[in-house]
Amino acid sequence: MESRRGPLKSAVPSNIVSPVRRCSRTACGRPAVATLTYVYADSTAVLGPLATYAEPHCYDLCAEHSERLTAPRGWEVVRLLDGSAPAQPSGDDLEALANAVREAARPQERAAGAGGGSRTADPMEVARRGHLRVLRSPDN
């Protein structure tokens, strides 16, 4: 009976081969962050997030080369957004944030019928200015 050794048992460890995928551009050793695929039928180059595994007909690119990518004349470049990257805030987001700050800065209306100068607010509160409060020390 013959002993069959699998490829992993007979493999020689090497410091030359890295488990990190590298940019496909010649003489570029930077880590890949995007995958480029050509759709010849549509004359389109699709640049998207790094593919799960390397394929022979796709090209892995580093950040610099993916930003500078151009296509041949008559071709279109489609850049797919990476879902894990944080989205840039839109005008609506900034307006909602400004409205929330304005609301927090608005003075609170005090109850008028609660006996002249007495407050119904937190007994630890000493003073208030806009949305800021001065609190009494818990030791006092």
Side-chain angles (χ1 to χ4, degrees):
M1 190 161 144
E2 266 183 48
S3 167
R4 296 179 60 181
R5 295 176 67 183
L8 293 178
K9 291 184 180 180
S10 65
V12 177
S14 172
N15 293 333
I16 298 172
V17 179
S18 169
V20 177
R21 288 173 35 200
R22 301 286 176 190
C23 183
S24 297
R25 296 290 301 257
T26 305
C28 181
R30 290 185 288 261
V33 297
T35 299
L36 172 66
T37 307
Y38 290 108
V39 182
Y40 293 98
D42 298 332
S43 300
T44 304
V46 180
L47 183 67
L50 190 62
T52 307
Y53 53 92
E55 292 190 34
H57 60 277
C58 295
Y59 302 92
D60 294 336
L61 298 177
C62 64
E64 182 181 341
H65 285 122
S66 63
E67 289 173 9
R68 295 185 347 197
L69 175 72
T70 59
R73 183 177 295 158
W75 282 57
E76 181 182 358
V77 176
V78 175
R79 296 178 187 269
L80 302 175
L81 294 176
D82 183 4
S84 64
Q88 296 294 330
S90 68
D92 291 341
D93 294 338
L94 295 176
E95 186 176 348
L97 179 60
N99 288 337
V101 169
R102 283 188 206 105
E103 182 67 30
R106 207 174 276 149
Q108 300 292 327
E109 294 184 23
R110 307 213 189 261
S118 70
R119 294 183 182 172
T120 59
D122 185 4
M124 294 296 289
E125 184 177 323
V126 175
R128 177 181 280 268
R129 179 165 184 152
H131 66 284
L132 302 175
R133 299 185 308 163
V134 178
L135 301 177
R136 198 174 315 238
S137 173
D139 299 335
N140 295 341

